[in-house]
Amino acid sequence: MRVLVAGASGVLGRHMSMALADAGHDVIGMTRSPAGTEQLGRMGIEPLVADLMDRDALLHAVDGMQADAAVHAATALRKVPMRHQDMAATNALRGQGTRNLIEAAQSIGARRLIVESMHFGYGYGDFGDRTITETNTPFAPPGRTPALERHLQGFRVKEHLALHTDGVDGISLRFGALYGPGFGDGGTDEIVTMLRKRRLPVVPDRRPGLLPWTHLADAGAATVAALERGTPGQAYHIVDDEPASMNAHVRFLAAAFGTPKPMTVPLSLVRVIGPYLHAFLTTAARLSNDKAKRELGWTPTYPTYRDGIRSLATS
């Protein structure tokens, strides 16, 4: 198929674009920046300069183009978000950005749409020992605070538009916390750099959250599987087989790459200086990946974060 990928120069978008191209699909990589076009060109991806938030310019950029499918992988994250306002631009991309992409996709004949989502769409907090499936827990419920509601509204609107817009065969991929090679820009590469400089602390182990994890290569493979075999109107958990706390992930990463051990800071301090990060770290959720394995024929190449980190450290 001919596939338009929005956010193709981002860390996730690059993995998605490469996986689609490697599977034989013709990829048009949409990016806002000239640097992004150079990067996509080096990857052998046809670049398209357009801003997902500028509807008129986007429609002009795709005028005369034809495609079979579109992928929404665009975020505005350039570093680890600390404050709630650090997510504002990404929330806008999930809402208005999705509306604009759907209009652009329809104008070029792209009926199939794959959108990126995340486990945080179920809410921020402790879900206990139960395992969340795509149907046993409400997705994007009302947020417990106005700040959390803004994030959840972004997830809610993006998925509703993808799955319930007439004429759109939408599929949502709900990822866990993403990690993996950033190819010199973002990803785990950036986390390792922070660890080497002792700029990435952890909180005491007695208060860990529990996160599902997704290697970026597995996210790319799942995008191909969803494009080729996914059922329109459905959401799939694209997560590995073992949830783990951020503490466990970061400590294992430091040991694997031989960096200094991360400092430990009180969780109360994180709440003050980084309220969004506090919500991130104190969320505990277990997600089942059975549906993706069964319906997409997808399985994680890296079943646990330890497998993925060992691969990164030895590559």
Side-chain angles (χ1 to χ4, degrees):
M1 301 183 208
R2 187 162 170 81
V3 186
L4 174 66
V5 178
S9 62
V11 177
L12 174 60
R14 291 198 297 270
H15 281 269
M16 288 176 158
S17 297
M18 288 190 299
L20 289 164
D22 288 345
H25 298 289
D26 184 12
V27 180
I28 308 161
M30 182 162 56
T31 179
R32 291 184 300 172
S33 69
T37 63
E38 295 175 9
Q39 189 176 60
L40 292 170
R42 290 193 298 270
M43 294 164 51
I45 303 296
E46 177 186 343
L48 172 71
V49 178
D51 185 346
L52 202 57
M53 293 302 294
D54 187 335
R55 172 189 174 274
D56 293 341
L58 173 61
L59 292 175
H60 178 73
V62 301
D63 186 38
M65 184 181 294
Q66 291 293 317
D68 304 294
V71 176
H72 187 346
T75 74
L77 297 177
R78 295 294 178 266
K79 59 182 180 179
V80 176
M82 298 287 290
R83 304 165 302 167
H84 288 294
Q85 54 262 45
D86 294 341
M87 293 297 297
T90 292
N91 291 338
L93 282 166
R94 288 172 174 154
Q96 189 59 49
T98 303
R99 292 187 181 92
N100 294 344
L101 179 61
I102 287 176
E103 188 172 353
Q106 290 177 321
S107 75
I108 62 176
R111 183 180 181 94
R112 200 160 184 82
L113 174 67
I114 311 295
V115 299
E116 164 269 342
S117 189
M118 284 196 74
H119 66 285
F120 284 123
Y122 288 103
Y124 297 79
D126 190 347
F127 288 84
D129 293 333
R130 66 192 177 90
T131 298
I132 297 172
T133 70
E134 290 85 348
T135 56
N136 72 359
T137 302
F139 188 77
R144 292 179 288 106
T145 68
L148 294 179
E149 168 57 20
R150 288 193 290 273
H151 310 320
L152 288 164
Q153 183 183 36
F155 287 114
R156 188 182 308 130
V157 171
K158 183 176 186 178
E159 191 155 297
H160 180 81
L161 289 168
L163 304 186
H164 300 289
T165 297
D166 290 342
V168 173
D169 292 339
I171 295 169
S172 178
L173 301 180
R174 299 173 183 168
F175 298 112
L178 293 163
Y179 74 104
F183 306 112
D185 179 17
T188 298
D189 309 1
E190 183 176 329
I191 301 299
V192 172
T193 298
M194 293 174 68
L195 283 169
R196 293 196 193 284
K197 297 178 179 179
R198 303 208 74 192
R199 292 181 180 174
L200 183 65
V202 295
V203 297
D205 284 323
R206 65 179 179 275
R207 290 294 304 276
L210 197 66
L211 303 173
W213 293 89
T214 308
H215 192 286
L216 284 159
D218 285 328
T223 305
V224 175
L227 181 72
E228 297 176 350
R229 299 184 293 277
T231 301
Q234 295 296 305
Y236 298 93
H237 291 166
I238 306 301
V239 300
D240 68 15
D241 295 334
E242 179 187 308
S245 69
M246 177 64 81
N247 276 13
H249 187 99
V250 170
R251 291 185 191 281
F252 192 87
L253 191 62
F257 280 84
T259 74
K261 291 183 179 180
M263 296 182 295
T264 300
V265 300
L267 191 59
S268 58
L269 177 62
V270 176
R271 184 193 291 270
V272 173
I273 65 174
Y276 179 81
L277 182 60
H278 180 272
F280 184 111
L281 293 174
T282 54
T283 292
R286 306 170 187 269
L287 270 61
S288 167
N289 58 18
D290 288 347
K291 181 179 178 182
K293 290 178 175 178
R294 182 177 65 251
E295 296 188 13
L296 299 181
W298 171 89
T299 57
T301 300
Y302 304 100
T304 76
Y305 71 96
R306 294 183 301 278
D307 299 316
I309 289 174
R310 287 191 192 102
S311 174
L312 291 170
T314 58
S315 61

